[in-house]
Amino acid sequence: AQKITQTQPGMFVQEKEAVTLDCTYDTSDQSYGLFWYKQPSSGEMIFLIYQGSYDEQNATEGRYSLNFQKARKSANLVISASQLGDSAMYFCAMREGLGGGSNYKLTFGKGTLLTVNP
Amino acid sequence: DTEVTQTPKHLVMGMTNKKSLKCEQHMGHRAMYWYKQKAKKPPELMFVYSYEKLSINESVPSRFSPECPNSSLLNLHLHALQPEDSALYLCASSQGQAGNNEQFFGPGTRLTVL
């Protein structure tokens, strides 16, 4: 079974509108971390936002927020006021456990290609 | 300095060549990573170095040989590669095991094996 599922291969949004990118995860660990990365066509992976499994508040970073629903095992990324520069591939990732060697391993979803239209 | 640098940006090599990819960070991070990414796919972890020691090897073929000369540098030595090894190779670093420990990625090296 996939540990990270991103069900939207591609998404389109109008400039200045908000968009939600879906991510569900599967783990039996109590301690884990969820990450979102942006990858433009240039190739660099850019860290956007992090949510820890024990964090009670949804994470926010500027125009990015993470809608964390622990019971549903979902960690959707919300981008407000989309900009043309937001067009990129977006990956959801999970790290299981907060100690030992497993702490280094990120499991990535397959990604969602977001296109922002002018 | 909050970036990870990688050289070269592009590399074309034959199957009999020996080449090296280089990665450098000056953020004081103690964990460094190599990933391989094929087109339209997520990155796949290859190696992890923690405190300059190899911590994880994800069953990578021996034609890929990592090296961590010091805490700021990470190399990936390539020898006798196959055309299917053509991919984007990403280096990343993170503080270590503590906290949220996000990984910061370099811009990658696009490798083509002829």
Side-chain angles (χ1 to χ4, degrees):
Chain A
Q2 287 186 36
K3 290 199 170 187
I4 294 285
T5 301
Q6 294 181 252
T7 58
Q8 306 152 316
M11 286 283 286
F12 293 88
V13 65
Q14 285 298 120
E15 196 177 5
K16 299 180 185 178
E17 292 186 351
V19 63
T20 298
L21 306 184
D22 294 342
C23 173
T24 57
Y25 59 92
D26 182 24
T27 181
S28 55
D29 281 0
Q30 296 300 308
S31 298
Y32 52 89
L34 297 158
F35 302 78
W36 277 92
Y37 284 87
K38 170 186 177 182
Q39 188 176 38
S41 56
S42 59
E44 183 174 359
M45 295 279 285
I46 302 166
F47 166 72
L48 295 178
I49 197 166
Y50 166 82
Q51 180 85 41
S53 58
Y54 294 121
D55 294 341
E56 294 185 354
Q57 304 263 9
N58 285 344
T60 60
E61 288 286 348
R63 294 186 297 112
Y64 304 108
S65 60
L66 201 153
N67 184 0
F68 182 45
Q69 299 191 37
K70 196 170 182 177
R72 294 185 179 183
K73 294 188 175 178
S74 74
N76 298 339
L77 177 70
V78 180
I79 305 174
S80 63
S82 298
Q83 302 172 355
L84 296 178
D86 293 335
S87 293
M89 182 70 85
Y90 288 80
F91 290 100
C92 179
M94 175 173 65
R95 185 182 65 244
E96 295 174 278
L98 289 177
S102 64
N103 196 48
Y104 294 120
K105 297 185 70 170
L106 281 181
T107 302
F108 286 88
K110 292 185 177 182
T112 296
L113 182 62
L114 176 67
T115 302
V116 180
N117 294 317
Chain B
D1 188 351
T2 58
E3 66 173 2
V4 177
T5 59
Q6 288 187 245
T7 55
K9 285 187 168 33
H10 301 273
L11 178 62
V12 179
M13 62 185 290
M15 288 189 285
T16 59
N17 292 157
K18 286 185 181 181
K19 296 286 184 183
S20 297
L21 308 184
K22 296 186 184 302
C23 174
E24 190 167 3
Q25 58 88 13
H26 294 289
M27 294 179 277
H29 289 173
R30 302 316 301 263
M32 296 186 76
Y33 311 74
W34 280 115
Y35 287 86
K36 174 183 177 180
Q37 187 179 23
K38 302 285 275 184
K40 301 187 190 300
K41 299 287 187 183
E44 299 174 7
L45 183 65
M46 301 175 71
F47 302 103
V48 180
Y49 272 83
S50 173
Y51 292 84
E52 300 163 49
K53 293 185 179 176
L54 185 62
S55 176
I56 296 175
N57 177 340
E58 290 287 278
S59 303
V60 178
S62 60
R63 57 186 184 268
F64 295 92
S65 175
E67 178 197 18
C68 189
N70 60 56
S71 60
S72 300
L73 292 173
L74 185 66
N75 298 323
L76 186 63
H77 302 298
L78 313 172
H79 174 54
L81 294 194
Q82 303 297 311
E84 58 264 28
D85 296 322
S86 298
L88 178 68
Y89 287 83
L90 292 162
C91 174
S93 69
S94 66
Q95 273 189 316
Q97 289 184 314
N100 59 1
N101 201 20
E102 65 264 32
Q103 296 180 18
F104 293 87
F105 285 79
T109 294
R110 291 194 186 274
L111 174 68
T112 303
V113 182
L114 301 176

